[in-house]
Amino acid sequence: MITIKNVTKTYGSKQGAVKAVDNVNIDINDGEIFGVIGYSGAGKSTLIRMLNGLEIPTDGSIKVAGREISHIKGAKLRKARQEISMIFQHFNLLWSRTVTDNIAFPLEIAGVPKKKRMQRVKELISLVGLDGRENAYPSQLSGGQKQRVGIARALANNPKVLLCDEATSALDPQTTDSILELLVDINKRLGLTIVLITHEMHVIRKICHRVAVMEGGNIVETGPVLQVFKNPKQQITKRFVQQVTEPEETKDTIEHLLSRYPHGQVIQLTFVGEGAEQPLITNLIRQFPITVNILQGKISQTQNGSYGTLFIHLDGEEEDLQKALSYISSQGVGMEVISNG
Ligand code: ADP
């Protein structure tokens, strides 16, 4: 659905040039939910704005639904942009217009006759769950409801691709979840391709099929979400994965475990799939003359399956512990040694 080939975007003059996006290559499939994660300044907004034709690449090409959008202008660009819609962190609604009028706006611009327009708005309002709020103004809506208007407006002209620019970053966790669920529902029902940018790994984990990690304008790592969680290769990816696998309470957990187990080694495992840790633990006990204590763990269910973390404590002769650790690291689970007493 989207092909990004050797795309570079440089801002400014030669002396003060900033390479915001540096030779990026991504292929996004039809019907896929694709996430791009990175810290502030990584180049995410620049990349997503180029997908929408809002920014022109300095080099390279971008095709959406088979059509080149990177270096076209005027009527051609307008036509191409009908297939791509965008929602924003701060919703970008028309504050002086009602919910109905906000959603009808792109249809008005496209010249859809009034009766048809109102019919379409009714469908969209029901699709995003805003029944009863037709005549409200944005100032009378909650953040989540405002984003629902944004989504309905973005879908008005039946786009093939929906771009989400930090679409849940201004929302509380519960509202974020409900908006992410709506995006999944839309993806399934309409077969819409979704590209989202975020700095929050829980958003990626909840709804994305694949993820690209961006740093300094480059894509440094990409793959299916479960695979990236299971085996993050880059340091930055590990940090993002830990955002989700190490919630606030983990710090206390670690301190508590260290005080309880001053000898031997406390290890944190990150694994994908329910029960995935069981064969590993069984093999550890069977194959090595060490003591294995299972301390505490947590399994989380997500859109893409389940994943979990587990703390274990190993004790025994140094040589046997080393062998056990190399065995664990050969098993494709995430492993971090917390203590080395
Ligand atoms: P992100 O969305 O990941 O925070 P951006 O794409 O906004 O990253 O920015 C990437 C880099 O490009 C930053 O160094 C930023 O300062 C620079 N940049 C972004 N937009 C412009 C612009 N219009 N003019 C000059 N530099 C820009």
Side-chain angles (χ1 to χ4, degrees):
M1 178 56 75
I2 303 176
T3 311
I4 303 171
K5 208 164 172 209
N6 301 332
V7 165
T8 293
K9 174 74 188 179
T10 311
Y11 290 110
S13 63
K14 270 201 173 134
Q15 290 85 4
V18 178
K19 228 180 212 183
V21 171
D22 188 4
N23 196 23
V24 162
N25 289 282
I26 309 176
D27 280 315
I28 299 173
N29 302 321
D30 191 4
E32 185 170 26
I33 307 185
F34 191 93
V36 178
I37 190 162
Y39 293 115
S40 183
K44 308 179 297 293
S45 302
T46 305
L47 183 66
I48 207 167
R49 286 167 60 80
M50 286 193 285
L51 294 184
N52 202 15
L54 286 170
E55 209 75 73
I56 300 170
T58 315
D59 253 315
S61 105
I62 300 175
K63 282 187 183 160
V64 176
R67 211 180 268 152
E68 180 70 47
I69 63 142
S70 37
H71 296 282
I72 53 171
K73 286 190 183 127
K76 266 190 172 167
L77 177 61
R78 278 198 295 280
K79 189 151 175 36
R81 283 182 65 184
Q82 279 176 4
E83 317 214 299
I84 316 153
S85 256
M86 190 146 161
I87 57 171
F88 304 87
Q89 180 174 4
H90 297 295
F91 324 119
N92 294 17
L93 302 181
L94 301 164
W95 299 100
S96 59
R97 295 204 183 192
T98 62
V99 166
T100 295
D101 289 349
N102 263 283
I103 301 172
F105 189 63
L107 297 164
E108 223 176 299
I109 300 218
V112 177
K114 182 149 189 203
K115 201 166 159 212
K116 240 179 145 183
R117 213 157 67 208
M118 288 306 130
Q119 181 54 38
R120 178 75 182 132
V121 170
K122 212 167 155 229
E123 284 168 22
L124 290 161
I125 283 188
S126 148
L127 178 74
V128 300
L130 278 176
D131 299 280
R133 305 299 284 152
E134 291 82 352
N135 298 319
Y137 285 90
S139 60
Q140 299 169 312
L141 301 175
S142 69
Q145 287 172 330
K146 284 179 203 151
Q147 196 54 292
R148 283 172 193 268
V149 177
I151 293 171
R153 183 185 56 182
L155 297 180
N157 281 318
N158 277 318
K160 293 197 170 82
V161 177
L162 179 66
L163 306 174
C164 309
D165 184 355
E166 297 277 4
T168 55
S169 298
L171 305 174
D172 62 63
Q174 214 175 336
T175 312
T176 293
D177 280 354
S178 73
I179 293 295
L180 294 178
E181 276 157 26
L182 176 61
L183 291 176
V184 170
D185 184 46
I186 288 166
N187 164 261
K188 284 198 181 135
R189 276 214 254 175
L190 310 178
L192 197 75
T193 305
I194 298 181
V195 183
L196 63 87
I197 61 171
T198 179
H199 62 282
E200 296 176 309
M201 200 61 170
H202 71 93
V203 169
I204 301 282
R205 186 194 71 193
K206 184 130 206 234
I207 70 166
C208 293
H209 304 132
R210 280 192 304 150
V211 60
V213 182
M214 210 169 175
E215 187 178 29
N218 297 110
I219 302 293
V220 295
E221 184 161 359
T222 181
V225 170
L226 280 186
Q227 191 181 305
V228 168
F229 263 83
K230 188 170 179 174
N231 191 13
K233 294 199 169 64
Q234 303 294 329
Q235 207 49 42
I236 181 173
T237 316
K238 288 180 187 164
R239 283 213 298 277
F240 279 122
V241 168
Q242 280 170 4
Q243 259 186 15
V244 186
T245 55
E246 277 190 24
E248 295 297 300
E249 77 247 39
T250 305
K251 208 166 147 249
D252 293 343
T253 306
I254 290 173
E255 274 173 19
H256 171 68
L257 293 177
L258 287 181
S259 65
R260 264 180 69 199
Y261 297 95
H263 302 293
Q265 294 182 321
V266 176
I267 291 162
Q268 183 181 6
L269 304 174
T270 310
F271 53 89
V272 174
E274 213 161 323
E277 79 289 7
Q278 279 163 14
L280 177 79
I281 303 289
T282 311
N283 286 340
L284 272 180
I285 296 170
R286 281 204 190 132
Q287 292 181 17
F288 304 95
I290 54 173
T291 318
V292 180
N293 291 310
I294 297 170
L295 306 179
Q296 65 185 81
K298 192 170 172 180
I299 293 189
S300 306
Q301 201 63 41
T302 76
Q303 190 68 31
N304 298 319
S306 61
Y307 83 101
T309 55
L310 179 70
F311 289 94
I312 59 173
H313 172 243
L314 308 180
D315 210 351
E317 295 296 330
E318 182 60 27
E319 200 181 322
D320 298 324
L321 287 177
Q322 285 312 322
K323 282 186 192 153
L325 290 183
S326 12
Y327 170 73
I328 298 173
S329 62
S330 70
Q331 295 303 298
V333 295
M335 176 182 89
E336 192 162 353
V337 178
I338 309 289
S339 70
N340 197 356

